[in-house]
Amino acid sequence: MGDTRNVSTTSDFERMLREVTLRVTRPRVAVLAAVHDRPHSDTESIINVVRAELRQVSHQAVYDVLRALTTAGLLRRIQPLGSVARYEARVGDNHHHVVCRSCGAMADVDCAVGTTPCLTASDDHGFVIDEAEVIYWGWCPDCSTAHSS
Ligand SMILES: [Zn+2]
Ligand SMILES: [Zn+2]
């Protein structure tokens, strides 16, 4: 949260859509913008953000856009066990996540060293590995403070 490194504009989002040969539509641009602004958002909060801007967009339309953007590789879908799906725009770097057991807060965790060392499994069992998904579970600072007091 609060990551302001990538300040993307509407034309950036339009270009991203064209690069994956998706037609540029206002709902697609609005969903991309919402997820860029709020990494690890769940579907419900993305719908709220998009509908604040485009009132006529249905829930189903947002679901469809999320699926299309995820399939096209513009968004990444993360679904920790027992949690609703979250979406983020940081794709293609195989980073991992830390999730709070109590409130569901989520943050990015880079691979330990280099770009994707986690892809070098200690035993690949003959599989061709292209992705590693690690979820670190624990307590976020707010919840661990509340928990211990
Ligand atoms: Zn928490
Ligand atoms: Zn992430």
Side-chain angles (χ1 to χ4, degrees), residues 39-40 76 78 88-90 93 95-97 106-109:
H40 312 133
R76 176 172 166 191
I78 318 128
E88 67 182 341
R90 182 178 165 187
D93 68 351
H95 71 275
H96 308 307
H97 294 98
M106 187 186 282
D108 287 338
V109 179

Side-chain angles (χ1 to χ4, degrees), residues 3-36:
D3 187 343
T4 53
R5 276 174 305 171
N6 306 308
V7 181
S8 300
T9 64
T10 301
S11 61
D12 290 328
F13 297 131
E14 291 176 354
R15 184 174 38 75
M16 289 175 206
L17 288 167
R18 287 195 197 95
E19 278 170 0
V20 296
T21 65
L22 282 179
R23 206 159 50 85
V24 174
T25 65
R26 292 188 68 196
R28 283 174 178 167
V29 171
V31 168
L32 263 183
V35 178
H36 271 259

Side-chain angles (χ1 to χ4, degrees), residues 98-137:
V98 59
V99 183
C100 178
R101 288 184 192 285
S102 178
C103 70
M106 187 186 282
D108 287 338
V109 179
D110 290 336
C111 283
V113 185
T115 48
T116 58
C118 304
L119 293 184
T120 311
S122 53
D123 182 353
D124 63 16
H125 297 276
F127 286 49
V128 178
I129 296 173
D130 63 22
E131 185 174 348
E133 186 173 338
V134 177
I135 294 182
Y136 301 94
W137 290 94

